Amino acid sequence: FGVFMGFLAALWLQRIIRDEVLSTNVMFVATYLTFFGAENLDLHFSGILALVSLGLFMSAFGRIKIYPESEHAVHTVWSYAQYSLETLVFLLTGMVIGYEILYSPKSTITAADWVRMLIFYFCMQGARFIIIFTFWPILNRIGYPLTLKELYVVGYGGLRGALGLCLALLVMQDHESFKPRLRELTIFYMAGMATLTLLVNGTTCGKLVNYLGIVVPPAIKGRVHTHVLKELAVDTAERQAELQNDRFLNVVDWKKVTELAGLPTLIKAVGKEGDDVSAIQVKKSSYSGFQEADLFGEIRFRMLRVLKGLFWEKYEEGECSGDAAGLLAECCDQCLDDTSRQIEVWTRVYAYFTTFKTIRWFFKAKNAPFIGKYCRRYINRHLTSIYDVVTTFLICTAELEHHEASLPIQSEIVHQVLKEIVANRRQAEMYLLTLGEAFPEVMRVIQCKRAASILLATQKSKLGRLLQEGIIEQKEYNKIRNEIDERTLEVEALELPWDAVTFSDIVFEYPVFMCLTRDELSALLAATKERKFKPGDTLFSKDGKFDGLFVVTRGIVEERVGGENMTILRGLGSIVSFANMVNPDSKKALFTAAARTDVTANCIPTQTLEPILRKNAKFREIVAKSSILVLAKLHPGTAKELATMEENSLNEFIATSEFKTPGPKDKLRFPNGGFCLLGSVRVIVAEGSESKEKYGENSYIPPSDKEFAAGKKDTVVLVFTKKMETFVKEHDVKHKKSHGKHKASISAAFEKEREVEIGFNRLVVETERKGSYIPPAGQPYLTVPGQEANREEESKS
């Protein structure tokens, strides 16, 4: 009954948009209706157990149905209600026992009952262990497997509290169904069990865990804690030095302030912590003195915590559903249970998906009478959910890899853990491509809905910023926001027709071809031929003849741009490849493209494309910009930083650049850098001198204020409108605003360690010399980066 009421409440909550009061009221109504219905509708259910079922259902499924902006308010109200009502239950129990049992002359409780209560406590503990051991094999096969030591803790850690007391109070107040002796024994024994388990089990369970050695904190955690204390001490000393220059604090007793701020205590605490880890010799920031397994476990733990946070942030930002975030977070929790193993989040995610075989069965039944409608609805929702989960996983893992690549712990360990993340992402990418290959007719619908949802989430975010900045009033905000919310609900309920993506759809809707005239589009359609490839067949081979562009309408193609270990996978709607068209006079393929699965692709002949490229400057510009990814992968030595950028970031960066085809007499400037696709550019020098600064084809041009001239051959360059470093910073602010706190949570204990170590050593020396520390006014405690000689001397001191 509780699960049924939870299902109804979840459906109701799903329809509530940005109304914290209504969401909270629905939760309270569902709670009281569940109890009332179970107790008073002749259902013969337990109201308390029905509430437990309701709570379990809402925790697992109902939470993600609450609108993200309302969740905090609902959680706050229920946290207070839980605290207040649990306190009230214990208070009422104490009053009932004190008045009805201990002091009432009619009480039936005797001294023998106190002895029986103790015996009952041990019997209850034994019964719990027997039940857990009996179901141990089943528990190992369902959910999280348990070791023998963990089994002892699970058995010993069973506490009795508010739930059992509520049931006992119900029995105590039921004068018609139970005799006075049974009612008093029920509340007496239940209160006794709650008291004993809380006082005995609750206070000693931690000692049992430590004794069994279930949770053994790695030595690196002690190192991290010590470093945090050092950083607190150094920052406090620096801030104190700054405050001495404050004209409003000119009569301060700084010795007393130092004691009040606890600076001596911090220094002593660091000394104590240092004694605890004195056996570990650490050189600067290398962490080489720790066990490798501890380092791996620590890095995996922190990365998984960040990854889990990223999933929930995507949900809060409206970029993924609550179901997707909940599933991904659950899989992260499973991996967090054992960080000694490699990260396998994707393996656990994949286990939740329905197999392709089952989905194909639903496809066969989608036109059947009666059940066809429900089969189509299931396919639509399930594949939409899968697409949501996979794309969210890919985005978050890419962001994690991006901002964790600079962790200053041993680089080989960080690199190894990042390789585990990359392996998970590659598996997910392959699954997504396989999904598009298997069900191309549904992918168009799914991607349309996802794109619309992201745009609506962008509108919500922008509107919220305008409200915070005071540009619009609350009334205007509510009006516009309600309209956006209505469109969001329409997108979620939208059911578009299932049509397989055709070549015509791609030509007329793909952004690359939108700049073509009607005659040019007609020429493309007329010249195109459909071709099919078996797995392993090559569309074209490196240095072989390049016949034309291939537009993939089914299957998966791999572009081998850097050897066997460097491939780019292309699926439904992809174009393979513009890089071969940058130089219209070239008839050779730059790399090999092969079919990984059965592939259907439309080939646009080069003889049709070449005249269009020469006549349509805009089309040539788009083709050139679209080819940068492959060209950078093919020439990482000259492409420099461009070869390491993530695909979406690179495309976004290149899209704003200026496309130029300068002549030999034209002068160029690259204040923000650039990229040479064809020909060459050189720095202009005095006559009679030869320029040594020259950049050839597929070369990254660093930012420079010098003037450049094009070579004699046809030259094509991109002039960047932003420096790459500036773009990366702005990209992080735009797409990863909230990730800064996660980055700090991972690297705060490691970054700046050398500076903090030096500053803390100076602090200790000054304290020992003066007896108590009073810093020189305005003197910084961290050395300026780059003063390596001073660093080494201070490290030795």
Side-chain angles (χ1 to χ4, degrees), residues 64-136:
I64 56 180
K65 304 300 180 184
I66 302 174
Y67 203 74
E69 296 180 17
S70 304
E71 185 178 359
H72 178 70
V74 174
H75 183 268
T76 301
V77 172
W78 273 104
S79 296
Y80 176 75
Q82 175 189 354
Y83 172 79
S84 301
L85 295 176
E86 282 186 352
T87 304
L88 184 61
V89 167
F90 279 92
L91 180 62
L92 288 175
T93 303
M95 293 173 63
V96 168
I97 291 176
Y99 180 76
E100 297 283 348
I101 297 177
L102 298 181
Y103 296 103
S104 175
K106 298 180 181 180
S107 173
T108 61
I109 301 299
T110 64
D113 293 323
W114 287 88
V115 177
R116 293 190 189 98
M117 180 183 70
L118 294 175
I119 297 174
F120 182 63
Y121 167 75
F122 291 106
C123 291
M124 181 188 69
Q125 293 294 332
R128 180 178 175 86
F129 274 103
I130 291 173
I131 293 174
I132 292 175
F133 272 97
T134 302
F135 288 93
W136 188 17

Side-chain angles (χ1 to χ4, degrees), residues 678-693:
L678 285 179
S680 62
V681 293
R682 68 183 188 282
V683 175
I684 298 176
V685 295
E687 293 186 12
S689 301
E690 184 178 351
S691 175
K692 294 183 179 180
E693 193 171 348

Side-chain angles (χ1 to χ4, degrees), residues 285-546:
S285 301
S286 67
Y287 286 75
S288 58
F290 292 95
Q291 295 292 328
E292 189 175 83
D294 290 341
L295 286 170
F296 272 111
E298 184 70 11
I299 300 304
R300 289 186 185 118
F301 173 80
R302 293 174 183 271
M303 285 193 175
L304 286 168
R305 288 290 299 271
V306 171
L307 191 60
K308 181 180 175 181
L310 291 176
F311 294 147
W312 284 117
E313 283 175 5
K314 292 299 178 186
Y315 165 61
E316 292 168 359
E317 293 168 4
E319 295 188 18
C320 75
S321 66
D323 293 328
L327 172 59
L328 292 168
E330 169 67 17
C331 293
C332 280
D333 286 336
Q334 294 178 19
C335 291
L336 281 167
D337 283 345
D338 188 2
T339 54
S340 64
R341 298 181 179 181
Q342 290 190 358
I343 296 175
E344 295 181 343
V345 179
W346 172 251
T347 303
R348 300 174 188 276
V349 171
Y350 178 74
Y352 284 91
F353 293 162
T354 302
T355 62
F356 283 179
K357 184 177 180 180
T358 304
I359 298 175
R360 288 192 180 96
W361 183 90
F362 279 96
F363 262 93
K364 293 179 181 179
K366 67 181 179 3
N367 295 322
F370 302 113
I371 65 171
K373 176 181 178 181
Y374 299 99
C375 289
R376 290 175 63 87
R377 186 175 299 175
Y378 172 82
I379 294 169
N380 201 344
R381 290 183 178 178
H382 184 69
L383 291 183
T384 300
S385 175
I386 288 178
Y387 195 85
D388 195 17
V389 170
V390 178
T391 52
T392 302
F393 179 78
L394 291 173
I395 292 171
C396 292
T397 50
E399 292 177 359
L400 179 65
E401 181 188 4
H402 171 75
H403 74 249
E404 289 308 322
S406 59
L407 268 177
I409 315 174
Q410 290 179 356
S411 58
E412 63 274 12
I413 294 180
V414 177
H415 181 67
Q416 186 64 35
V417 177
L418 286 175
K419 282 178 65 177
E420 297 173 10
I421 298 288
V422 171
N424 279 255
R425 194 174 76 245
R426 290 191 182 280
Q427 293 174 357
E429 287 176 345
M430 188 62 198
Y431 179 85
L432 189 64
L433 291 170
T434 306
L435 189 70
E437 176 202 6
F439 312 106
E441 56 269 45
V442 188
M443 286 299 102
R444 186 182 182 88
V445 178
I446 293 174
Q447 292 185 13
C448 285
K449 294 177 70 173
R450 180 168 176 79
S453 298
I454 293 175
L455 292 178
L456 289 170
T458 303
Q459 294 178 14
K460 295 176 186 177
S461 177
K462 178 64 175 179
L463 195 63
R465 289 197 299 270
L466 293 176
L467 177 65
Q468 292 177 355
E469 295 168 1
I471 297 176
I472 60 174
E473 297 179 355
Q474 186 69 45
K475 184 177 180 180
E476 295 174 298
Y477 171 83
N478 291 335
K479 180 180 179 181
I480 302 174
R481 182 60 190 270
N482 288 336
E483 295 175 356
I484 298 175
D485 291 336
E486 289 176 3
R487 287 197 292 270
T488 302
L489 293 176
E490 290 175 2
V491 169
E492 292 176 358
L494 184 63
E495 292 190 8
L496 297 173
W498 292 357
D499 297 319
V501 178
T502 64
F503 175 70
S504 299
D505 295 331
I506 297 175
V507 168
F508 284 106
E509 297 178 14
Y510 206 85
V512 173
F513 298 112
M514 287 184 177
C515 63
L516 301 183
T517 64
R518 184 178 295 273
D519 292 339
E520 291 170 339
L521 287 172
S522 300
L524 287 184
L525 291 172
T528 299
K529 295 181 180 180
E530 184 178 271
R531 296 176 62 179
K532 296 187 177 182
F533 303 88
K534 297 291 184 181
D537 292 348
T538 57
L539 283 69
F540 49 82
S541 300
K542 183 178 179 180
D543 296 329
K545 184 179 179 182
F546 178 67

Side-chain angles (χ1 to χ4, degrees), residues 53 129 263 382 541 648 675 680 725 746 770 784 787:
S53 301
F129 274 103
L263 191 55
H382 184 69
S541 300
N648 287 342
F675 189 81
S680 62
E725 296 80 2
I746 289 186
K770 297 182 179 180
V784 179
Q787 296 178 348

Side-chain angles (χ1 to χ4, degrees), residues 516-517 519-521 523-524 527 547 581 583-585 587 604-620 623:
L516 301 183
T517 64
D519 292 339
E520 291 170 339
L521 287 172
L524 287 184
D547 296 327
M581 297 298 302
N583 186 355
D585 297 328
K587 304 296 182 182
I604 308 175
T606 53
Q607 54 265 34
T608 304
L609 289 166
E610 287 173 356
I612 299 177
L613 282 170
R614 291 191 177 93
K615 293 179 182 178
N616 193 324
K618 184 63 178 176
F619 182 56
R620 189 180 183 189
V623 168

Side-chain angles (χ1 to χ4, degrees), residues 577-693:
S577 163
F578 284 122
N580 292 313
M581 297 298 302
V582 172
N583 186 355
D585 297 328
S586 176
K587 304 296 182 182
K588 292 183 179 181
L590 299 176
F591 58 92
T592 298
R596 175 167 284 197
T597 63
D598 290 328
V599 171
T600 302
N602 290 75
C603 179
I604 308 175
T606 53
Q607 54 265 34
T608 304
L609 289 166
E610 287 173 356
I612 299 177
L613 282 170
R614 291 191 177 93
K615 293 179 182 178
N616 193 324
K618 184 63 178 176
F619 182 56
R620 189 180 183 189
E621 175 184 348
I622 295 175
V623 168
K625 291 182 177 180
S626 301
S627 67
I628 296 296
L629 173 68
V630 173
L631 293 176
K633 298 291 184 185
L634 285 170
H635 306 279
T638 55
K640 305 288 185 185
E641 292 87 346
L642 293 176
T644 61
M645 290 185 71
E646 190 266 333
E647 182 172 355
N648 287 342
S649 300
L650 178 61
N651 292 337
E652 186 178 341
F653 176 62
I654 294 298
T656 60
S657 61
E658 298 178 8
F659 177 81
K660 292 188 176 183
T661 55
K665 296 182 179 181
D666 294 333
K667 295 181 180 179
L668 297 168
R669 286 186 179 274
F670 299 94
N672 300 306
F675 189 81
C676 180
L677 289 98
L678 285 179
S680 62
V681 293
R682 68 183 188 282
V683 175
I684 298 176
V685 295
E687 293 186 12
S689 301
E690 184 178 351
S691 175
K692 294 183 179 180
E693 193 171 348

